[in-house]
Amino acid sequence: MALTAFVLEMTALYFQHVMMLKPCVMCIYERCALFGIMGAGIVGAIAPKTPLHWAAIVIWLYSAWEGVRLAREHTMIQLHPSPFVTCDFAARFPTWLPLDKWLPSVFVASGDCAEKSWLFLTLRMPQWLVGIFAAYLLVGVLVLIAQAFKSKRRYLFSL
């Protein structure tokens, strides 16, 4: 899971720094949701048998849910542009976590949320992200169910 989120983050940076596509505020927020999923995957991989794995699952589910919500909102801005529904000019991070100050090459927005600059198989980037985050959310729910109902012993042959 962490590896797939990392690949998506590297793809976003490729689009930004090589293809020169400017990320908007919604893109930056969607990036943060991906970092949450990546962080949850790393914590889950490091501490799979400790109570931390429950925290990782919660972070995973929350990040995937927020990612779906953000990507859907971004999709609606692109599909139905309106002068009354726009995104912010700059990402708003908490004062205790100023990501745009710490790593501006990753977290500073400079694009317009309504701009439609990339298309693949008739879908725009936020439309793809709705599906990607929905897949993360579905797998996260399945993992949560499997973890909650797993048995203590596993038998190879049971009668």
Side-chain angles (χ1 to χ4, degrees):
M1 177 178 73
L3 180 62
T4 60
F6 178 75
V7 167
L8 289 169
E9 290 290 353
M10 291 300 104
T11 302
L13 291 174
Y14 176 81
F15 285 155
Q16 179 181 351
H17 296 291
V18 177
M19 293 177 64
M20 298 305 188
L21 299 177
K22 296 177 182 178
C24 67
V25 170
M26 296 300 288
C27 295
I28 299 300
Y29 292 153
E30 291 157 0
R31 227 177 246 191
C32 291
L34 268 176
F35 273 114
I37 291 171
M38 184 169 47
I42 291 169
V43 169
I46 291 172
K49 304 241 186 247
T50 67
L52 278 178
H53 87 282
W54 291 109
I57 291 174
V58 169
I59 293 168
W60 175 3
L61 292 173
Y62 175 74
S63 296
W65 177 262
E66 282 297 306
V68 168
R69 186 187 66 75
L70 290 163
R72 184 182 178 287
E73 184 180 334
H74 192 179
T75 297
M76 290 299 117
I77 289 172
Q78 284 193 350
L79 292 179
H80 310 289
S82 166
F84 305 108
V85 180
T86 61
C87 58
D88 295 333
F89 291 112
R92 290 177 285 147
F93 293 109
T95 56
W96 55 270
L97 190 67
L99 295 175
D100 54 339
K101 306 280 188 286
W102 294 345
L103 204 56
S105 63
V106 177
F107 293 108
V108 169
S110 57
D112 177 18
C113 293
E115 183 181 337
K116 301 172 188 173
S117 58
W118 184 84
L119 183 73
F120 181 67
L121 298 176
T122 71
L123 296 176
R124 306 263 173 220
M125 200 173 304
Q127 292 171 310
W128 279 104
L129 286 175
V130 169
I132 289 167
F133 281 119
Y136 279 127
L137 185 60
L138 175 65
V139 172
V141 168
L142 294 175
V143 166
L144 178 65
I145 292 168
Q147 290 291 310
F149 296 109
K150 73 177 180 180
S151 65
K152 297 291 182 201
R153 292 184 165 187
R154 297 187 184 196
Y155 297 103
L156 183 59
F157 301 104
S158 61
L159 300 172

